[in-house]
Amino acid sequence: MATWRLPRTPLLLRAAQRLLPAPLRRSGSSPAPPRLPGSLVRSGGFVGGRWVQAAAAFPVLDPASGAELGQVADCGVAEARAAVRAAWEAGPGWSAAPAKERSALLRKWYSLMMENKDDLAKIITAENGKPLKEAQGEVLYSASFLEWFAEEARRIYGDIIPPSVKDRRLLVLKQPVGVAAIITPWNFPSAMITRKVGAALAAGCTVVVKPAEDTPLSALALAELANQAGIPAGVYNVVPCSQKQTPAVGEALCTDPLVAKISFTGSTATGKVLLHHAAGTVKRVSMELGGHAPFIVFDSADVDRAVLGALASKYRNSGQTCVCTNRFLVQKGIHDAFVEKFAKAIERELRVGNGFDEGTTQGPLINEKAVGKVERHISDAVSQGASIVTGGKRHSFGKNFFEPTLLSNVTTNMLCMQEETFGPLAPVIKFDTEAEAVAIANSANVGLAGYFYSQDPAQIWRVAEQLEVGMVGVNEGIVSSVECPFGGVKQSGLGREGSKYGIDEYLEIKYVCFGGL
């Protein structure tokens, strides 16, 4: 998930004033960046159906090489408010459109994503660094939300309630909340947008998207395709901005009285700041925040299957997913066998490299700060007695690359067991009893996802019900699905995304009492 950081001294960037779409520009001194598909690469914001530039621009970097991919309009508070106004003005027309019409436009947008899936994947790999195969998977996942909510748009049903007196009829209507501000992270720069925007547009809301400063190109590519699909002007707006501008733009979106709804995916700390801002106007809020997912392997588990699940859950996107495992808890009877097999699988199956290279499974981390956090967690654990089984240091491929790492002899007081690493680090702690494992798993103040492996039916029911998380994987390391509700409990957030429940986040319930009949 993206986090907001304190602003650094900005670079002197060339101002641009054009109102035309433009390809990204390169600086001459950087290493050659990946070749990007010009048909979908845009450098401006997208406001009211027009491509707009700001007074300054900010660089988008390739995390694999550090090369500058180009520069994007650094939208500020003025551009954010203009986007909100455009969305507000487009709202009545969009909400009044028949559900079938909104459905058809979302379906057209989905079809264009599928037609351009290879180019969209290249953009993701270039700005995010994840392996191209993972990026291709993200595009399919991303597009599936537009397809799903195109279908759900026609299923927003109300109710007729039996009256308690003869001359009344009681109705319940569902209506769009209004303008929704969508603030998304860098780790899934396409899917985190469509999962929110698909539901919002299906419900009849209009949106302003503020993408992460590291990965704005995917949001702008989606804007280009939305425009091609015929989504009306002002319905989908994008205001990219730099790290320096992000706090002010976020505050503007959360406090603008024309915004009725905030949807945010990112850190718990940032979520609390946005909640504070949104409270002033009592906005509807949904948030998917930090995780600290436990992965429990009981003595009854199929160890080989557990290892495969652990590999998928931990190292997808180099450990940079909100639901990836952060804590491995392995029962003492199979602990040594699991650690040995897990280490062999890591060394056998994972390959660090540029995301565009064939065979790469582990791309770079998003930036050097992320690498530093992994190093800090490993150093802390080793200083307290943990053992490095495999990995443990930066990879020779480049400064943002880190070896997939496995630690044993881990204890609960180590930093890696107390906070989310968001990197390719797998710490393993040994436990004795089921009750102990559940207690450790539930000790965190967050609860997004949790996983466990067991072949004992009674244990499966007990643990699935006791884990304090919003999503549970039983003998599975990957749980995300468009048909299922995504979200957490405790300080992991509010509300759900995807599934039939996701559209409810963008709907108000209105009761109508029709009397005098």
Side-chain angles (χ1 to χ4, degrees):
M1 285 170 286
T3 56
W4 290 0
R5 299 174 291 273
L6 292 174
R8 299 172 296 183
T9 302
L11 298 174
L12 293 176
L13 303 174
R14 187 171 56 204
Q17 300 294 340
R18 295 188 302 275
L19 297 177
L20 297 172
L24 291 172
R25 296 170 294 283
R26 289 178 49 198
S27 65
S29 59
S30 301
R35 197 172 181 84
L36 295 177
S39 61
L40 293 180
V41 176
R42 294 291 179 266
S43 66
F46 190 67
V47 176
R50 304 172 66 200
W51 294 100
V52 301
Q53 295 290 343
F58 68 99
V60 180
L61 305 180
D62 167 22
S65 66
E68 185 178 299
L69 297 170
Q71 296 192 10
V72 168
D74 194 4
C75 295
V77 171
E79 289 80 10
R81 288 178 176 157
V84 168
R85 171 65 64 170
W88 184 77
E89 291 175 348
W94 182 248
S95 64
K100 184 176 180 180
E101 182 179 325
R102 295 198 301 269
S103 174
L105 289 171
L106 284 170
R107 182 76 192 193
K108 176 61 175 175
W109 194 5
Y110 159 79
S111 297
L112 287 171
M113 283 194 70
M114 296 303 292
E115 290 172 18
N116 292 273
K117 62 182 184 295
D118 290 337
D119 285 347
L120 291 170
K122 290 174 184 176
I123 292 172
I124 292 173
T125 295
E127 65 179 349
N128 169 276
K130 68 177 60 176
L132 187 58
K133 287 185 178 179
E134 282 194 27
Q136 291 166 343
E138 179 181 344
V139 172
L140 297 179
Y141 182 55
S142 176
S144 73
F145 286 105
L146 298 182
E147 179 185 39
W148 173 265
F149 285 114
E151 296 163 353
E152 289 297 293
R154 303 181 68 181
R155 297 179 176 85
I156 301 174
Y157 302 135
D159 291 296
I160 296 178
I161 300 172
S164 56
V165 294
K166 290 182 179 180
D167 65 346
R168 294 180 183 176
R169 296 296 182 268
L170 311 179
L171 295 80
V172 173
L173 309 179
K174 293 184 179 180
Q175 297 179 314
V177 299
V179 176
I182 307 294
I183 303 174
T184 59
W186 51 261
N187 59 338
F188 286 89
S190 180
M192 295 302 93
I193 292 175
T194 58
R195 191 162 73 186
K196 300 172 186 293
V197 170
L201 268 57
C205 298
T206 56
V207 301
V208 177
V209 177
K210 205 297 286 184
E213 64 269 17
D214 294 297
T215 56
L217 302 182
S218 292
L220 297 172
L222 289 175
E224 171 61 27
L225 294 180
N227 199 32
Q228 292 180 24
I231 302 293
V235 171
Y236 178 80
N237 305 275
V238 183
V239 284
C241 65
S242 65
Q243 180 188 96
K244 181 177 183 292
Q245 294 272 35
T246 289
V249 169
E251 181 175 354
L253 293 175
C254 289
T255 57
D256 194 309
L258 299 183
V259 174
K261 160 80 181 184
I262 302 294
S263 180
F264 169 70
T265 296
S267 72
T268 298
T270 300
K272 292 177 180 179
V273 172
L274 298 182
L275 279 169
H276 176 76
H277 290 322
T281 47
V282 196
K283 299 188 191 305
R284 287 277 296 274
V285 175
S286 57
M287 295 192 168
E288 187 243 300
L289 305 177
H292 193 31
F295 187 108
I296 307 171
V297 187
F298 291 104
D299 281 344
S300 65
D302 179 329
V303 175
D304 291 330
R305 184 169 181 173
V307 166
L308 291 176
L311 204 66
S313 177
K314 174 69 257 183
Y315 294 108
R316 184 166 59 110
N317 198 17
S318 298
Q320 299 174 113
T321 81
C322 306
V323 294
C324 76
T325 298
N326 207 63
R327 302 172 288 161
F328 287 88
L329 287 65
V330 184
Q331 200 159 13
K332 62 180 181 180
I334 48 96
H335 172 273
D336 293 350
F338 175 85
V339 170
E340 180 181 357
K341 290 185 176 184
F342 195 14
K344 289 180 179 178
I346 291 169
E347 294 165 356
R348 181 180 66 248
E349 301 293 338
L350 303 184
R351 177 186 166 190
V352 176
N354 189 296
F356 285 104
D357 292 344
E358 184 70 26
T360 292
T361 66
Q362 305 290 286
L365 275 67
I366 190 66
N367 52 41
E368 197 165 6
K369 181 179 178 181
V371 176
K373 186 175 185 181
V374 178
E375 287 183 320
R376 187 168 69 254
H377 280 196
I378 292 173
S379 175
D380 171 80
V382 171
S383 71
Q384 297 187 62
S387 303
I388 297 175
V389 181
T390 188
K393 62 183 184 300
R394 297 191 188 216
H395 196 277
S396 58
F397 204 90
K399 68 176 183 179
N400 288 344
F401 292 83
F402 204 91
E403 295 177 343
T405 301
L406 176 62
L407 298 180
S408 64
N409 299 321
V410 173
T411 60
T412 57
N413 60 321
M414 294 175 182
L415 198 57
C416 60
M417 295 294 287
Q418 296 175 1
E419 63 180 39
E420 190 175 30
T421 303
F422 229 66
L425 170 61
V428 179
I429 188 169
K430 185 189 295 186
F431 71 89
D432 291 326
T433 67
E434 177 186 309
E436 179 189 0
V438 171
I440 294 172
N442 289 343
S443 64
N445 62 5
V446 293
L448 189 56
Y451 311 88
F452 70 93
Y453 278 69
S454 170
Q455 296 187 93
D456 179 340
Q459 183 176 62
I460 287 172
W461 279 111
R462 287 194 305 270
V463 176
E465 292 176 350
Q466 291 172 17
L467 284 180
E468 295 172 356
V469 296
M471 298 170 283
V472 179
V474 183
N475 297 324
E476 290 291 343
I478 302 291
V479 297
S480 299
S481 173
V482 65
E483 300 87 358
C484 300
F486 192 103
V489 300
K490 299 196 280 191
Q491 294 188 36
S492 279
L494 305 165
R496 294 295 181 268
E497 294 183 333
S499 79
K500 69 176 184 178
Y501 305 103
I503 202 166
D504 291 340
E505 301 290 335
Y506 298 89
L507 293 168
E508 295 282 15
I509 293 176
K510 178 184 286 185
Y511 157 52
V512 178
C513 179
F514 191 178
L517 300 178

